Structures are given as C-alpha cells and as structure tokens.
Amino acid sequence: MLNVLRVHLPSDIPIVGCELTPYVLLRRPDNSITTDDVPESAPLDGFYLRYKWYRIQSDKKVAVCSIHPSETATLQCLGCVKAKIPVAKSYHCSPRCFSDAWQHHRVLHDRAASAVNENGTEEEELFGRFNNSGSGVINTSLSNSTSSIGHSSSLNNGSAPLYPATVTERNGGETWFEVGRSKTYTPTADDIGHVLKFECVAVEAESKLPVGHVNTILTSRVIPAPSPSPRRLIPVNGVDVIGHLDSNGRTASSETFTVLSYNILSDAYATSESYSYCPSWALSWPYRRQNLLREIVGYRADIICLQEVQSDHFEGFFTPELDKHGYQALYKKRTTEVYGGNSYAVDGCAIFFRRDRFTHVKKYEVEFNKAAQSLTDAVIPSTQKKAALNRLLKDNVALIAVLEAKFITDRRQLLCVANTHLNVHQDLKDVKLWQVHTLLKGLEKIASSAEIPMLVCGDFNSVPGSAPHALLAMGKVDPMHRDLEVDPLGIFHSDRKLTHKLPLVSAYSSFARLGVGLGFEQQRRRMDPTTYEPLFTHCTRDFIGSLDYIFYTADSLTVEALLELLDEENLNSAVSHLEQDVNATRTGFEEILFCELFSSINQVIHGGRIKLRLFNPPGVSLRNPNAIYLYHAIPFFLFFFIFLFILFLGKNHANACLI
C-alpha cells in the first residue's frame, strides 16, 4: 500500500502569486522511500495521491499591514486614499509602524502628486506595472462568496479555468472553501489574510476511497507580495522622461534604446546561512522569481543583462516567460557546478533582447579558465603552474553578443553587448584585474574588425577606484596602484601593459558630468564625488558599496537617461521595517534597486537601466573603418578648395583695382 510519511512546506507564510509546493515523503508498496508524485492518471499498484487546498475564512473583515504583512492593520493613511494610491499600501499595524515608515511612505504621495500633474493618469504608470491586485481589506463574509459556490472537478489553480470556490464546511464563524485539487497552489488576492489548509491522502484507484491517515498542513495567513516603490528615468538633459513614452514604454526617439543590468542572486546562493536575517519565505525561489520577473518586465528594457542565472531557471523560467514579452535569449553558464543543498546547480550570464528591436548577428563566449590555461603555459614557469592555476581557475565567464538594430533603417547599425560576472573573493584582486584585462582585450579584437558601439555590463565585484574599475573607466592602471601590490604570480610586470584603447565611460557618471536640471542635485548626493559612481549598487548586512556597472563607448553612444538612484537613508529605513527581504525588488542599477523594500537586505541592487542614443555618422559602413576617416576628410578637402577659389578671386580683384 502507498503510505504518506511526511508532508511539509518550505515556508509556512504564503505569498500572493508565489506557488506553494509541499514536500511529500512517500513509502511505496515495495517499502522504498520517494518524493515522486503519484497522480491519479498514473497509479502505483492500484493507489494514487489526492490533494486538496482550502481557504479558511472568518466572517470578520481583516486589513493587512503594508509594512509588516503578517500583522493586522489598525490604522490607514488617508493621504493614500486621496491620492488614489493602491489601498493595500495605506494600512499600518501601529502608529509606530506608520511613523517609522513615513520617510519611505511619503515618496508614494510625492510620486502620485507629480504624476497627476504630468499625466493625469498616474496609477497605471506608477503602480500598474508592479502592483499586486487586491485592496488590502478582506471581506470574508459568506455573502460575498456564495455567488460562485458550486462543485467543480477541476480546481487546479493555474492550469485550469478560474475555479468556483466550494463551501466544504461552516463552523463557529469560519468557512472552509475548497480552492484547489493539485499538489501545488498559487495564492490569489482573494486569499489575503486567510489561512490555507493542505490535505494529502493515499486513495485506492478502484474504489476512489482514501486509505490510511489524511495528512494536513495549516499555513499562516496569506500576505500580499511586496511591490517596489516606483522609480523613474532621469534624463541627463533635464527633460522628464515619464509622460513621453510610446505604447511600449520606450521614449519616442528613433535611435535610442534602453539597457538593464541585474544580478538576480542565484537560488543556490540564497541560503539561510548566507542571509540569516531573511525569513525562509523571502529566500525561496518561487517567491523571488515572481518578483524578479515582474520587476524586469516592468522596466521594458530593449536589452537585459542578467548575472547569476541558474541554467535550469534560464531554460525553465526566464526564457519562456520573457519570450512571452518578445525577448530572444542568449546564455553562457559557468564552467563548474555549485552545491545548493539538495542538488547541484550552475549559474551564468544571460542576455535578452527585444526581437522587434534587434536581430542576433554573432555570439562570443569567454571562459576565463581557458584563458588561464593559455596564460600559465605562456608565462608561468612549469614548477609554479599548479599554484597559478589554483589561483586563476575560478570558473567565471563572460557572454558577448553582436546585435543589429532594426530601428535604424538608413544604414546597417551593429551593437556589441558584453555581460560578465567576475570573481567575488576580495583577496583575489589580481585575479579580478586579470579577468577584466582579458575581457577588454577580447573586445578590442572585435572593435578592430569593425567600428562598433559597445556596452560592457555586469557584476564586476570591484569597488570604484580599484584597479579593475580604473582599467575599465580610465583605460589604464597606475603602476603605483595599491592593488598591484597583490601579484603573487607576477603577471602584471612592467612589460605587460595594463591598458586598452576602448573609449569606455561609466553610464552613471553622466549624472555627475552631464546632468543639469530637475533632480540632479539629489542624484549627485547619491554619488561618490571622486569616482563619479553611485554610492552603492549592492547592499547587504555586511557590505554597502558599488560593484556593478554599465560602461559604454563614448565615441559612438551617448547617455540620454538613467534610472534614479536610491538613497541609503531611505533604504536602511525601509529595510529596518521589513526585516524580511531579498528581491522584492532589487535593483535598478544593479541597482534596479527596487525597493519597496525588499531586495534590499539582499544584494539589493544589482541592476541598472539606462537609455542610450547612437550617433555614428549617417551613411558610414561599420565594417569599413577607413570610411570613418574618409567621412571626416571630406569637409577638410571641401574647405581647402573653397579657400583656394576665394584666394584666386581675391587676387584677380586686387589686380583689377590696380588697373
């Protein structure tokens, strides 16, 4: 007989939109132990498993705190009601909660008021992309649900049409509604504030009768998924971008495009050991993936660069989901696996681009392990090769894509996009620098074959002013740089020049270099005045600083707008209230930092969105570098001949006067 030994949930706090997948341990008729499902369609020795989900509703009305969603609300912000901010954001569990959250909360009021003045229809623009449905108040009286009561044989919650809730039992002011009959269940807005019950039992296939004990689990009350506070693109020319978007969320200029970079934190690394201050439900992949997708899709970037994307998540989640939104995918996984508790996983770098904006021309893969092998064979003595490889082989990779712009029709316009995630260990400064140098040399080879604009995105695990950052941003590293003191392999000797010829500029430095007009003083206060980089793109309990960048070639691209930066004080305030975090939003920059807080305690930011404009001379072939020089030489020769002609006329005129 089939026996259910144990049933439990990875987290007992259910979140709206995040699939619940119970862990079910079985003993087969042959006494073997398994966690494999035994559905009715494929019974095992005449038995299968039957699942049911129930919503337990009280006749009382319940309001949920927007800051501490596991707490009942006791007060409401009337300013939110007047501003037509989603009502779920207006509830707080105590005066202290409201007071502590005010600095972050008032941003919602300011944005709503600003959007009303500019657009007149602020709610969809500011909240529609990321907000969850549901009012935040749960009316649990039976009269609200009886209109849909009725028995259905297909309560599958997601794979079947909308279910009619079935009243199973009513007892002492509580009503049980059957809401699902599959192993998994995804809570909806109707479930907010209610307890869910899961039942699992072995059933005899012939009689359809249960056998053995019915295993049950009761969850905590369902809470709404935190949604990020809205952030806007700040144009470097001072003209507000919001309110001037096309139907696809892009600005109207014909030769502009947007780029997003985001370290999404691999599930293999999102462990309770590493993030002990985060609750298990906030670390779970079913919860985080929904927030990540909502955030990424919400920015509607033309090009998306993601780091720490697990190969199974790339194939099974991101590729099919982003395909629905018109994106084509490219991927390069790391060269080793990481043990993630129950199984091995491997992460890597992914590039997504909109099929209606770009076509794929070519893909390059950079494996730093192979480069390390070549380096040691060339310059490291044989007696030191083993030690050198132990230091250099870190399995990091980079993905390079050459794309062709469809939105430029008067010429063939190519674009090279590089995405990488460098070694994380802070004591391996020489390895990071070598990886950056290796990547740049590869990009130089691509640039030498064609005049092609370039983007270099990623998590470089290097702070502003470090040697890797200096090499990227300045094109060289000072021989006296302190990071060069760490060179146990001797690979940065004077005969090995740490330079490159790509005219790379950090995108966010535009705030300091070019920004004028509205909001720029505020953005500059959020930047390091010496390096022109954001004060932070990564925020955890142990580290706050910038590790993530988007670089572009300044001779062929110019920044038009940047996603606004976060304020550390607001972030810390937000995080202190939500002591639960991880990607409720993260980033916008590697830092999509979305903080509605969540994604804040984690890496938080990893991500960035920028808007760029191409300005290659029209009519110049990118595959013929000499055409560039010819293009610039034409005005010179034209001016020279005009000068000779004027000189000739002037001489004749002088002679005429003498006569």
Side-chain angles (χ1 to χ4, degrees), residues 272-277 426 538-545 547 568 572 575 600-604:
S272 297
E273 291 75 21
S274 298
Y275 301 98
S276 59
Y277 44 87
Q426 297 306 308
H538 178 112
C539 179
T540 62
R541 175 179 290 177
D542 303 320
F543 175 81
I544 296 178
L547 300 175
E568 184 176 345
N572 289 336
V575 171
S600 36
I601 300 191
N602 181 347
Q603 275 183 252
V604 199

Side-chain angles (χ1 to χ4, degrees), residues 83-87 112 115-116 120-129 131:
K84 297 182 180 180
I85 292 170
V87 70
V116 167
T121 56
E122 79 286 5
E123 189 163 343
E124 193 282 329
E125 176 62 43
L126 292 181
F127 304 105
R129 299 181 190 173
N131 194 48

Side-chain angles (χ1 to χ4, degrees), residues 52-89:
K52 287 188 179 181
W53 288 90
Y54 300 95
R55 179 198 308 139
I56 303 176
Q57 296 188 186
S58 170
D59 289 349
K60 299 178 181 180
K61 291 185 177 181
V62 180
V64 179
C65 177
S66 62
I67 302 300
H68 306 99
S70 59
E71 301 294 329
T72 301
T74 61
L75 59 88
Q76 183 179 24
C77 173
L78 296 181
C80 289
V81 177
K82 291 181 179 179
K84 297 182 180 180
I85 292 170
V87 70
K89 296 178 178 289

Side-chain angles (χ1 to χ4, degrees), residues 264-539:
I264 63 171
L265 180 63
S266 168
D267 186 44
Y269 306 136
T271 64
S272 297
E273 291 75 21
S274 298
Y275 301 98
S276 59
Y277 44 87
C278 296
S280 59
W281 61 264
L283 289 169
S284 69
W285 178 243
Y287 166 71
R288 293 200 302 119
R289 72 180 181 185
Q290 299 300 327
N291 289 313
L292 286 166
L293 181 65
R294 183 170 58 247
E295 182 180 23
I296 291 168
V297 171
Y299 282 113
R300 302 169 183 170
D302 297 312
I303 299 171
I304 299 170
C305 294
L306 302 182
Q307 302 89 43
E308 287 195 27
V309 182
Q310 285 185 199
S311 57
D312 55 334
H313 295 164
F314 173 79
E315 296 172 0
F317 181 71
F318 285 108
T319 297
E321 290 298 326
L322 289 175
D323 177 71
K324 298 174 185 177
H325 296 275
Y327 289 95
Q328 184 173 331
L330 300 172
Y331 184 67
K332 174 58 183 174
K333 65 181 180 181
R334 284 163 55 99
T335 48
T336 191
E337 295 178 331
V338 176
Y339 185 65
N342 297 320
S343 61
Y344 284 90
V346 58
D347 68 279
C349 297
I351 295 176
F352 298 87
F353 58 90
R354 297 185 71 101
R355 288 187 293 266
D356 62 336
R357 302 278 285 170
F358 293 95
T359 55
H360 177 223
V361 177
K362 195 164 186 179
K363 172 186 175 183
Y364 299 91
E365 296 181 347
V366 179
E367 293 185 2
F368 293 110
N369 279 6
K370 290 184 178 179
Q373 293 280 1
S374 300
L375 175 68
T376 54
D377 290 342
V379 303
I380 303 296
S382 57
T383 57
Q384 301 177 19
K385 282 187 178 180
K386 184 176 180 179
L389 290 175
N390 285 338
R391 188 169 184 86
L392 293 175
L393 297 181
K394 300 304 176 186
D395 304 301
N396 300 99
V397 297
L399 174 62
I400 303 172
V402 177
L403 309 176
E404 182 175 350
K406 288 184 175 181
F407 51 89
I408 297 177
T409 58
D410 61 344
R411 64 186 186 276
R412 189 184 190 204
Q413 181 64 68
L414 301 180
L415 175 69
C416 180
V417 182
N419 181 22
T420 190
H421 185 195
L422 300 186
N423 187 255
V424 66
H425 298 291
Q426 297 306 308
D427 57 340
L428 298 178
K429 297 179 180 179
D430 57 319
V431 177
K432 297 179 201 287
L433 179 57
W434 169 76
Q435 289 179 340
V436 169
H437 185 261
T438 301
L439 174 61
L440 291 172
K441 289 304 175 184
L443 292 174
E444 278 189 323
K445 290 181 180 179
I446 297 174
S448 66
S449 63
E451 290 287 335
I452 180 170
M454 288 191 171
L455 291 168
V456 184
C457 309
D459 179 351
F460 294 86
N461 277 308
S462 302
V463 298
S466 63
H469 178 267
L471 184 58
L472 284 159
M474 307 300 293
K476 61 181 180 179
V477 179
D478 189 323
M480 303 304 294
H481 196 289
R482 61 183 181 279
D483 285 359
L484 297 183
E485 297 174 2
V486 180
D487 185 18
L489 303 179
I491 58 178
F492 301 127
H493 289 161
S494 57
D495 58 340
R496 187 179 181 85
K497 295 182 179 180
L498 290 173
T499 62
H500 69 87
K501 298 179 181 179
L502 300 174
L504 295 178
V505 175
S506 177
Y508 270 79
S509 67
S510 299
F511 272 148
R513 296 181 298 102
L514 306 174
V516 294
L518 301 175
F520 273 92
E521 286 306 315
Q522 183 183 51
Q523 298 305 311
R524 287 194 183 98
R525 288 196 296 270
R526 298 171 181 177
M527 299 188 69
D528 186 321
T530 59
T531 62
Y532 292 166
E533 296 288 2
L535 290 175
F536 63 94
T537 67
H538 178 112
C539 179

